[in-house]
Amino acid sequence: MDINTSSEFYKSNVLGQRSGLFVLFFTEMWERFSFYGMRVLLIQFLTATVLNGGWAWSAEQAGALYGTYAMMLYLTPILGGIIADKYIGSRQAVIIGAIIMTIGHAAMAFDTQIMFFIGLACLVIGTGFFKPNMPSILGEMYKDLPEKKDGAYTIFYMGVNAGAFFGMMLCGYLAEKIGWHWGFGLAGVFMFLGTLQFVFAKPLMGNLGVLDKSPEAQENALKNDTDKRNPFTTTDLALIGIVAVIGFLYAFNDPLSKNGIIDIFAWLDMPFLRGQYVIIIVALILFIYLIVSRILRYDKVVRDRMFAVVLLAFFLIFFFMSFEQGATSLVIVARDFIDRSLTGSALTIFNIVNALLTIVPLAIITWVLAKLAKATWSKIALSNVILFACFALIWGAAIWMLNNEFSKESSEITVSWFSTLNSFFIIALASTVSKLWESKYNPSAAFKYGFGLILVSVGFLIIGLGSWGIGEGVKISMVFLILTYLFHTLGELFISPVGLSYVSKLVPARMLAFMFGIWYLAIAIAQKVAAVLGGQVEKIQEEYSISHFFFLFTAIPAVAGLLVMLLNPLIKKLMHGIK
């Protein structure tokens, strides 16, 4: 069935959008459920005491492993996108990625070290296939309906955050109350079911994401081949190879050396700097030379716009290295330094709020599922049956969790509950912030970045002040951490959705893949730096105080935010009229 000529594809609509969008919505939702459900447990599990079922690693050791894992999650999609475009198509890549990720989650449900690391490796490889190809299918679905595209991406983004919210809440609760591997296992169950519903939705999706291997399509691909006007030189390819090898060696050496297994860069150690950091500085210099020399070969306007993208990517690193503390140091802070115990009326109020936070969005998404089933039952009944099974499971888990909490006279809020706040605030605030971009108050790219960075800085300032001067054994009020997540989410809404939009506006189509690669590389670097710095939380707390750690992360994004706003005239000039 060709989607361009099939009337069936257009007939079934849900909430004014193509019903196929909601197949993607639920596929992405269950993938994010499993991914974030596992992610929120990782640092907790690694640093938990052996008595509590963990591995008793230090924050530094756990941060090194998490940083490498998070870094690889942003590098493998570059390769996965290329493989899909050239060899297997987006649809097949999504299915392969989802199957590999399901195997990864299943492996992590077993209580052995070897299965744990096999699981992490599968999640990295599976994400490489899955992550870049879902938006690609969505873009293809709406290529003849550009006026509906923004709305479609907004709904899709809500699916991402709904999955993250429920994954962190339910997997986190199960892991902390029953056992770590129950949480890892629950993530795998929903990944498996989400994969099945996508596979069985093929009659509705037609040839979306299927690679056209006809001679005509291959001829068109050759005509549109990238970088004909700026082919990679032998020097370019050699530098890419050297930088990639050093980057991968560093990524794996960091956790191995911090766990006392092997340090392959020890021979470069200096009195003031470890060898692995010396070699990564060399790689960074080579990489900057590669980027600058390559961009200088383009015409002036193209060259300037690409430099604008590189500048924005540079400041993106400062944003993510601060914002991503939510996955590392703030998890440890929530566990060890926040007063999470509740009794009496405070517990009752929390339970009511928590029940509303859980039930209301779940009810809305179940209603969307009913709409989808009504519109598509005759075409994809089995896919809908699997989705209803998913929702029966998630309702069961949610009701069990809420019933368990309402029956207690005193309770301790789970560590993972705080991590759900980011997704909740995004769902609550995204439409309000996006209205700013459509109003007369729409700031320039540099100011959006500046405001975003300063909002993240304010978040750390709040919890820094909340922890200022507290004595031994005294814990921080949870209100400060909740406000920190609120300001971090506002910062994310100013930066995250905006960045990729500017890449697509500023870079000519033939160079998009290259610049998206640079963009994801910037995020990968930031993820690693965030985890390495976050791993210092225990050391800084012991040597100085926990508030010193927060004030460090107040300063970093604040300085970067002010600097990017000062560079606004230069960035506007480099953009040559693009807004």
Side-chain angles (χ1 to χ4, degrees):
M1 179 179 84
D2 181 358
I3 63 154
N4 295 320
T5 56
S6 165
S7 58
E8 285 296 324
F9 185 75
Y10 300 112
K11 269 182 193 170
S12 58
N13 279 288
V14 177
L15 304 177
Q17 294 283 358
R18 290 174 173 168
S19 52
L21 166 66
F22 292 92
V23 171
L24 300 183
F25 172 95
F26 285 116
T27 307
E28 184 73 15
M29 178 178 157
W30 296 126
E31 188 275 332
R32 292 289 92 183
F33 179 102
S34 60
F35 171 75
Y36 280 99
M38 187 284 298
R39 191 186 89 151
V40 78
L41 303 180
L42 200 54
I43 291 285
Q44 282 192 77
F45 167 68
L46 292 171
T47 58
T49 61
V50 175
L51 279 175
N52 289 325
W55 286 4
W57 283 16
S58 69
E60 185 177 24
Q61 291 169 326
L65 177 64
Y66 175 78
T68 291
Y69 166 68
M71 179 182 179
M72 299 306 290
L73 289 175
Y74 281 91
L75 293 179
T76 51
I78 299 170
L79 189 59
I82 293 167
I83 292 170
D85 287 347
K86 290 188 179 293
Y87 304 109
I88 59 175
S90 300
R91 180 183 170 79
Q92 207 173 332
V94 164
I95 293 169
I96 290 168
I99 290 168
I100 295 170
M101 288 161 79
T102 302
I103 293 166
H105 285 296
M108 293 182 79
F110 291 93
D111 195 1
T112 68
Q113 281 203 7
I114 187 70
M115 294 302 280
F116 179 84
F117 288 115
I118 288 171
L120 281 186
C122 287
L123 291 174
V124 166
I125 296 164
T127 300
F129 282 101
F130 190 99
K131 190 180 180 75
N133 290 301
M134 285 297 282
S136 170
I137 294 172
L138 181 56
E140 196 179 328
M141 183 185 286
Y142 280 86
K143 67 182 178 187
D144 65 322
L145 209 62
E147 67 276 12
K148 289 266 190 182
K149 205 170 191 176
D150 284 353
Y153 272 101
T154 302
I155 290 169
F156 183 74
Y157 195 54
M158 290 296 179
V160 169
N161 285 289
F165 177 80
F166 289 116
M168 288 188 282
M169 178 175 280
L170 296 176
C171 293
Y173 189 84
L174 203 65
E176 290 182 52
K177 298 295 182 183
I178 297 179
W180 299 110
H181 298 281
W182 284 87
F184 291 136
L186 184 68
V189 167
F190 284 102
M191 187 72 242
F192 175 67
L193 293 172
T195 306
L196 285 182
Q197 74 90 24
F198 181 75
V199 170
F200 291 131
K202 189 177 189 316
L204 183 75
M205 308 297 282
N207 288 332
L208 267 178
V210 176
L211 191 64
D212 188 349
K213 293 184 178 177
S214 65
E216 297 87 1
Q218 290 184 357
E219 194 179 320
N220 284 334
L222 281 172
K223 279 181 194 169
N224 298 324
D225 205 5
T226 62
D227 282 337
K228 278 230 174 73
R229 283 162 52 183
N230 189 3
F232 283 94
T233 65
T234 308
T235 307
D236 287 344
L237 295 172
L239 286 172
I240 289 169
I242 292 165
V243 170
V245 168
I246 292 173
F248 279 109
L249 287 175
Y250 161 74
F252 289 100
N253 186 71
D254 190 42
L256 289 171
S257 63
K258 284 174 181 171
N259 280 281
I261 298 166
I262 188 173
D263 185 353
I264 59 173
F265 298 117
W267 56 281
L268 283 169
D269 281 357
M270 295 180 180
F272 55 90
L273 198 62
R274 284 186 58 200
Q276 68 170 9
Y277 299 125
V278 173
I279 198 75
I280 210 70
I281 290 167
V282 170
L284 197 58
I285 292 165
L286 292 175
F287 179 68
I288 291 167
Y289 172 77
L290 166 70
I291 296 295
V292 172
S293 64
R294 183 162 176 73
I295 291 175
L296 286 174
R297 293 177 221 151
Y298 289 106
D299 301 333
K300 179 170 171 50
V301 173
V302 171
R303 183 174 69 218
D304 285 355
R305 286 175 176 168
M306 288 176 84
F307 275 130
V309 170
V310 170
L311 263 177
L312 292 176
F314 173 73
F315 284 102
L316 191 74
I317 293 173
F318 290 97
F319 168 73
F320 274 109
M321 67 189 270
S322 306
F323 175 79
E324 284 297 327
Q325 295 306 310
T328 51
S329 62
L330 289 184
V331 170
I332 292 167
V333 166
R335 185 188 67 192
D336 297 341
F337 300 102
I338 297 292
D339 182 7
R340 295 181 286 116
S341 55
L342 291 174
T343 55
S345 58
L347 178 60
T348 306
I349 292 166
F350 174 81
N351 282 335
I352 292 168
V353 170
N354 195 39
L356 290 171
L357 282 179
T358 308
I359 298 297
V360 172
L362 199 47
I364 292 167
I365 298 169
T366 307
W367 172 72
V368 172
L369 169 59
K371 288 274 199 185
L372 176 67
K374 187 179 176 184
T376 62
W377 193 268
S378 61
K379 299 280 299 174
I380 53 166
L382 192 51
S383 179
N384 283 310
V385 167
I386 290 164
L387 274 178
F388 277 114
C390 282
F391 273 82
L393 274 173
I394 204 169
W395 272 105
I399 290 165
W400 167 77
M401 175 189 78
L402 294 171
N403 181 58
N404 200 28
E405 288 305 301
F406 271 103
S407 65
K408 294 176 180 175
E409 290 184 11
S410 65
S411 183
E412 192 171 63
I413 299 170
T414 59
V415 173
S416 45
W417 182 84
F418 292 96
S419 297
T420 66
L421 293 170
N422 174 243
S423 297
F424 169 71
F425 287 138
I426 282 178
I427 294 166
L429 300 170
S431 60
T432 307
V433 174
S434 68
K435 283 189 175 73
L436 271 177
W437 309 157
E438 296 162 19
S439 73
K440 63 179 180 179
Y441 300 109
N442 184 13
S444 64
F447 274 90
K448 281 174 186 165
Y449 268 61
F451 292 146
L453 283 157
I454 286 167
L455 285 165
V456 171
S457 173
V458 170
F460 279 111
L461 178 64
I462 287 168
I463 195 164
L465 293 172
S467 62
W468 182 257
I470 59 169
E472 188 72 31
V474 180
K475 295 203 169 184
I476 308 163
S477 166
M478 68 175 78
V479 173
F480 291 104
L481 187 56
I482 292 168
L483 287 171
T484 296
Y485 274 107
L486 171 62
F487 279 91
H488 283 193
T489 304
L490 285 167
E492 182 188 9
L493 289 169
F494 269 73
I495 290 180
S496 253
V498 173
L500 288 174
S501 163
Y502 277 107
V503 177
S504 59
K505 285 177 187 174
L506 290 164
V507 178
R510 69 181 188 278
M511 288 172 281
L512 266 179
F514 174 68
M515 290 312 286
F516 274 128
I518 298 295
W519 198 259
Y520 278 118
L521 183 62
I523 299 175
I525 292 167
Q527 294 281 346
K528 183 64 186 170
V529 174
V532 169
L533 291 176
Q536 301 301 308
V537 62
E538 290 176 345
K539 280 187 176 178
I540 293 174
Q541 188 270 329
E542 284 167 15
E543 291 179 23
Y544 303 98
S545 70
I546 192 69
S547 55
H548 275 78
F549 179 81
F550 298 132
F551 291 143
L552 170 70
F553 279 100
T554 301
I556 292 170
V559 171
L562 292 171
L563 183 58
V564 72
M565 287 194 284
L566 286 172
L567 290 173
N568 181 50
L570 172 65
I571 293 170
K572 278 177 94 167
K573 187 180 174 186
L574 290 172
M575 285 183 172
H576 289 277
I578 298 286
K579 293 181 179 176

